[in-house]
Amino acid sequence: MKNRILFTLFLTVFSFIFTVSAKQEKYIKHTVVKGETINNIAQKYKVTPYDIYKLNPDSQNGIQLDSVLLIPSSGEVTAYVAPKVAPSIVATSVQNTKLTTHLVQPKETLYSLSKQYNITVDALKNANGDLLNNGLKIGMNIKIPTSDGQAAVVSTPIAVKEVVKETPKVVVPKAEPKTEIKTVASSAGPAFHVIEPKETKYGISKKYGISIPELERLNPQIATDFPIGFKLVISGNKPNQTVVETVKSATEITKPAVETSTIPSATTKKYLEEYVVKPNDTPATIASDYGITEKELISLNPELKKGVKLGMILRVPKGQRKEPVRKEQGNLIKSINTNARKQLALLFPFNISKIESDTVNSTQARLKKDKFLNLTLDFYSGALMAIDSARVLGMNVDIKILDSQETKNTSNVLALADQNDLKSMDAIIGPFYQSNVENLAQFLGPTKTPVISPLSKDEAGNYPNLYQSMPTTDLMRSSVFNYMKSKNGNIIALIDNKKGSITQYIQENQKETRIIGLSVKGSVVADSLTILLQKDRMNYVVLASESTGMILATTNAMLAAQKEFQVQLVILEPNETLDFEEISLIRLTKLKLLYPSLSRPNETIEANQFDAKYKKLNKIIPNQYAIRGFDVTFDTLLRLSQGSTFDETIQSSVTEHIENKFDYVQNATYGYSNNGIYILYYDTDLTIKEAL
């Protein structure tokens, strides 16, 4: 009893200390005035630029006039203390070398700094000792080694602009097999320059020390046009640096040309036209529409590396657009055609031979501990109901059910394909593991037999006959971002430090999203959220955290902000923490929690009849895998039972069944992916609805 009382007392004290310390966190709101920079703001408040960037991540890309920054109090800053340097080293450095330090800026790396100062990365690390143990951080003051290998020490940091003014030595990297090193405009004769994106006549004329009229005289074609990728004849003085001219491949980002048999030369504007980005467009769909790869599209439009935005004007091959077939959300049951007999194979990883040879575990014992086998049997039970429904509807399909005898690392699939003449099939569902389904798709490539991957979320390889029925994780994430953009939303994200994959995804694919800064302790600062909210727009707050404390702090701030702003909570993936009692359902419905989902809630008569029939047959209600087994199998049977080919139904029809949607889209570089994703939200009447 005493121990319990002491333990309770300890918890009370601990909670009190935690609460008090949280309340003591103080932050200053600073409104940016004309001429201010992060560096002088940091000096004003006696903090480092890193401390400001931590709370205001967007400021790494520059600060705007009248924007509001959160400045931590002196007790909340993160100090970077340089290691002590031996007196003898300091004395040598001061006497024999130029004194230099460098204030680390956004996007700088050890590699880029080593190139800027013509030193090695190891020399940088050695000069800064323990300071770089955890990597390079924005706002650090690091020492730059001098020619004798020692580090220079100065009392005041050198501004970035001052360092840039010094003329760096030109270092020509070792040439790769396809790289030619040329000194442009030498006295030996004419040289050339390939026009890169964003270059101008003025910039090129200055670079090579010639006038614009002279440039146009040598290249009459540019008098009225200035096409990216055009090879200019250059004459005049040698430029300030050696130019490395690389023979680029068609997929390199820096090459603005698309070399295909259907595009004689996409290196000039003569063969390009403009395309305005529409809602729900992605680089993959745009590239597919024009018959090129995503990499080729990005090579024509380097700005796509920062993400695609509604209204962007892109350069695309002229006359290459394929008129998209308008898909209809239809009921294929109404158009069943039984004239031709079709064949479907289903490959399930039962591994019956292993079960029969298992002398230690009974079948019941194996079922209790083998989750994958249970999943397989659930999917199978749903598939059997789909086959029964096909029989009732009179579909003219022969069906083979085979044991694929596969595991994650082993497979008998190719032998099975030979033994059972799978090349004669009109479609195949399975295998279940991604590597095995890709091997089968490759094997059946010559016959173009559709292979449907039933459950894998992995991104497929380059197999034109492979159909991924499960949307990939990135596709799920993109779908909800596309929805928010279509609503002209202000999108901001709050991501805890354990969700690095989501941070990376947003930085690479959703660069217009503003990321909310965290305190140095990794906690939420309410003001960091509210200063990013905008009036007269829906503010979507993407939350990626499984921390109960962070979820409560974020939702508290959002609920408080509802008095002035429109706010909606968004998650990108399932989050079990939201099911805990600490996070009330009422809280989530008030914020209309929005999320992407593979399945939808379905209370139609057909769905209820399916549940009742399944329960009667299996003595249990169907789970998600049983329902998916039905939906994937029934969808394939329906597509095979049309007057058109399987591929033609993919191009023309979107289907929905019990819980799942199938909207297959051909990718630019590999088969088909399923874009059948629902955007759902918690409504205030405590129901889940589809966002429109």
Side-chain angles (χ1 to χ4, degrees):
M1 184 66 182
K2 286 182 180 178
N3 288 338
R4 184 174 180 180
I5 292 171
L6 287 171
F7 180 70
T8 305
L9 181 62
F10 170 76
L11 282 180
T12 304
V13 172
F14 178 80
S15 300
F16 174 76
I17 292 171
F18 177 82
T19 305
V20 170
S21 64
K23 287 181 179 178
Q24 287 177 343
E25 292 185 10
K26 293 181 181 179
Y27 301 92
I28 303 163
K29 290 183 181 179
H30 176 86
T31 302
V32 177
V33 299
K34 187 175 181 180
E36 281 191 320
T37 66
I38 288 293
N39 288 338
N40 57 39
I41 293 172
Q43 291 172 4
K44 177 178 179 180
Y45 292 100
K46 295 182 172 57
V47 296
T48 70
Y50 171 78
D51 296 312
I52 297 177
Y53 292 138
K54 182 73 175 173
L55 278 174
N56 308 271
D58 287 337
S59 63
Q60 297 180 43
N61 300 318
I63 53 177
Q64 303 296 324
L65 184 66
D66 295 328
S67 61
V68 178
L69 299 176
L70 283 187
I71 311 297
S73 64
S74 57
E76 293 297 319
V77 300
T78 304
Y80 289 100
V81 181
K84 293 181 179 179
V85 183
S88 59
I89 295 177
V90 174
T92 303
S93 300
V94 172
Q95 291 172 9
N96 300 330
T97 66
K98 197 171 183 178
L99 307 180
T100 308
T101 63
H102 180 91
L103 185 66
V104 178
Q105 300 297 307
K107 300 182 180 179
E108 287 186 326
T109 64
L110 289 174
Y111 177 79
S112 67
L113 291 176
S114 70
K115 293 301 179 186
Q116 180 177 338
Y117 291 101
N118 192 22
I119 53 177
T120 66
V121 172
D122 286 340
L124 267 175
K125 289 181 178 179
N126 292 337
N128 291 276
D130 296 336
L131 181 62
L132 299 179
N133 282 353
N134 295 319
L136 198 65
K137 304 291 184 183
I138 297 165
M140 280 183 172
N141 244 340
I142 66 170
K143 300 172 186 176
I144 304 300
T146 57
S147 56
D148 64 358
Q150 304 299 338
V153 181
V154 294
S155 57
T156 55
I158 297 176
V160 176
K161 291 182 179 178
E162 293 173 344
V163 174
V164 173
K165 285 178 183 177
E166 297 179 12
T167 304
K169 295 180 181 178
V170 177
V171 180
V172 180
K174 184 178 179 181
E176 297 296 332
K178 291 186 177 182
T179 302
E180 301 174 13
I181 303 174
K182 296 182 179 180
T183 302
V184 180
S186 67
S187 58
F192 304 95
H193 175 89
V194 177
I195 300 174
E196 299 291 342
K198 299 183 180 180
E199 284 191 317
T200 63
K201 294 179 187 178
Y202 177 79
I204 293 174
S205 67
K206 288 297 181 185
K207 182 175 183 178
Y208 293 101
I210 61 175
S211 66
I212 292 178
E214 176 67 9
L215 191 64
E216 291 178 343
R217 185 188 68 77
L218 291 167
N219 304 275
Q221 302 93 328
I222 69 169
T224 57
D225 197 10
F226 200 66
I228 295 168
F230 186 81
K231 195 172 185 179
L232 295 171
V233 177
I234 301 296
S235 179
N237 298 326
K238 181 179 177 180
N240 292 332
Q241 60 182 19
T242 300
V243 176
V244 181
E245 184 179 295
T246 306
V247 181
K248 303 177 179 73
S249 68
T251 58
E252 284 184 297
I253 290 175
T254 54
K255 182 174 181 177
V258 181
E259 297 177 358
T260 69
S261 58
T262 57
I263 306 175
S265 174
T267 58
T268 70
K269 289 182 180 177
K270 179 179 177 181
Y271 298 104
L272 297 178
E273 62 186 10
E274 293 181 344
Y275 174 79
V276 180
V277 174
K278 299 177 178 62
N280 300 323
D281 274 345
T282 65
T285 59
I286 297 170
S288 178
D289 285 346
Y290 283 90
I292 59 177
T293 67
E294 287 182 57
K295 288 184 178 179
E296 289 169 333
L297 181 66
I298 293 171
S299 73
L300 287 168
N301 304 275
E303 62 269 27
L304 280 176
K305 288 187 279 185
K306 297 181 180 179
V308 64
K309 295 181 181 179
L310 184 66
M312 283 178 75
I313 298 176
L314 302 179
R315 292 176 291 277
V316 291
K318 190 172 184 178
Q320 289 296 117
R321 182 172 174 80
K322 299 181 294 183
E323 285 302 320
V325 179
R326 181 172 293 180
K327 289 190 178 183
E328 295 183 359
Q329 181 103 17
N331 186 353
L332 295 182
I333 293 176
K334 295 179 180 179
S335 55
I336 290 176
N337 185 310
T338 59
N339 292 336
R341 194 161 190 81
K342 301 294 179 68
Q343 297 187 75
L344 171 67
L346 292 93
L347 276 57
F348 290 97
F350 294 132
N351 293 299
I352 293 174
S353 59
K354 291 184 179 180
I355 295 175
E356 291 176 342
S357 63
D358 190 346
T359 57
V360 177
N361 299 299
S362 65
T363 302
Q364 291 298 324
R366 189 179 182 91
L367 285 172
K368 284 183 179 180
K369 67 178 185 178
D370 193 333
K371 292 182 180 179
F372 188 74
L373 179 58
N374 275 278
L375 179 155
T376 300
L377 294 173
D378 288 335
F379 191 98
Y380 175 61
S381 66
L384 289 180
M385 285 194 64
I387 293 168
D388 184 60
S389 296
R391 179 184 57 78
V392 171
L393 291 169
M395 296 185 197
N396 194 5
V397 183
D398 289 333
I399 299 169
K400 281 185 179 181
I401 297 177
L402 303 171
D403 181 3
S404 57
Q405 302 177 46
E406 62 173 314
T407 65
K408 191 172 184 178
N409 301 313
T410 61
S411 170
N412 192 39
V413 170
L414 297 186
L416 197 68
D418 264 339
Q419 294 165 9
N420 293 274
D421 192 23
L422 294 188
K423 289 183 178 179
S424 66
M425 294 290 126
D426 294 288
I428 298 169
I429 297 175
F432 276 48
Y433 286 106
Q434 183 67 21
S435 58
N436 298 334
V437 81
E438 289 189 5
N439 286 338
L440 182 61
Q442 184 179 28
F443 179 76
L444 298 175
T447 60
K448 300 182 179 179
T449 305
V451 178
I452 296 102
S453 176
L455 288 176
S456 173
K457 293 183 180 179
D458 295 342
E459 188 171 299
N462 188 13
Y463 307 101
N465 59 325
L466 180 56
Y467 296 77
Q468 294 287 119
S469 72
M470 291 281 281
T472 64
T473 299
D474 278 359
L475 200 56
M476 294 283 285
R477 293 168 176 171
S478 296
S479 66
V480 75
F481 274 96
N482 289 339
Y483 169 81
M484 293 186 288
K485 291 174 189 175
S486 71
K487 299 297 181 181
N488 192 33
N490 174 39
I491 308 172
I492 55 183
L494 200 156
I495 310 167
D496 77 15
N497 297 327
K498 296 179 181 179
K499 295 291 183 178
S501 65
I502 292 181
T503 301
Q504 182 179 357
Y505 165 78
I506 289 177
Q507 289 174 340
E508 292 178 357
N509 302 283
Q510 308 295 340
K511 295 191 177 182
E512 67 277 16
T513 300
R514 305 176 72 184
I515 297 178
I516 300 170
L518 303 176
S519 74
V520 293
K521 298 176 182 177
S523 59
V524 181
V525 179
D527 284 341
S528 288
L529 189 155
T530 54
I531 63 174
L532 297 181
L533 300 179
Q534 297 180 11
K535 292 189 176 180
D536 303 323
R537 293 176 73 185
M538 176 59 75
N539 295 276
Y540 294 103
V541 180
V542 179
L543 175 61
S545 175
E546 293 175 3
S547 161
T548 302
M550 182 170 283
I551 293 171
L552 287 172
T554 303
T555 52
N556 282 340
M558 292 179 68
L559 289 169
Q562 279 186 328
K563 297 174 184 178
E564 297 182 58
F565 302 94
Q566 300 176 67
V567 293
Q568 187 165 7
L569 181 64
V570 182
I571 58 173
L572 302 179
E573 58 191 16
N575 189 337
E576 292 183 358
T577 309
L578 296 178
D579 297 329
F580 292 172
E581 290 182 3
E582 292 92 331
I583 315 294
S584 71
L585 181 60
I586 299 297
R587 177 184 293 258
L588 300 179
T589 57
K590 283 183 178 179
L591 296 171
K592 294 195 172 183
L593 175 66
L594 186 80
Y595 61 99
S597 176
L598 290 172
S599 59
R600 57 167 178 167
N602 189 354
E603 297 298 332
T604 61
I605 295 173
E606 293 80 8
N608 291 331
Q609 288 175 343
F610 172 84
D611 288 350
K613 185 176 180 180
Y614 186 94
K615 186 175 181 181
K616 183 178 179 180
L617 288 172
N618 300 285
K619 313 304 179 188
I620 192 173
I621 61 172
N623 63 16
Q624 60 176 320
Y625 296 109
I627 294 173
R628 184 155 189 86
F630 175 88
D631 284 353
V632 171
T633 307
F634 192 63
D635 183 73
T636 306
L637 286 165
L638 272 177
R639 293 183 185 277
L640 289 175
S641 301
Q642 304 299 307
S644 51
T645 65
F646 183 88
D647 183 62
E648 286 171 343
T649 69
I650 292 295
Q651 301 293 339
S652 62
S653 299
V654 177
T655 57
E656 277 186 300
H657 302 297
I658 303 301
E659 285 189 356
N660 298 274
K661 183 191 296 186
F662 299 92
D663 179 12
Y664 289 103
V665 176
Q666 188 171 13
N667 298 293
T669 53
Y670 59 94
Y672 295 80
S673 58
N674 180 16
N675 282 7
I677 300 168
Y678 296 99
I679 307 298
L680 306 178
Y681 72 97
Y682 286 19
D683 205 354
T684 49
D685 61 0
L686 304 184
T687 62
I688 296 175
K689 292 189 172 84
E690 186 174 357
L692 301 175

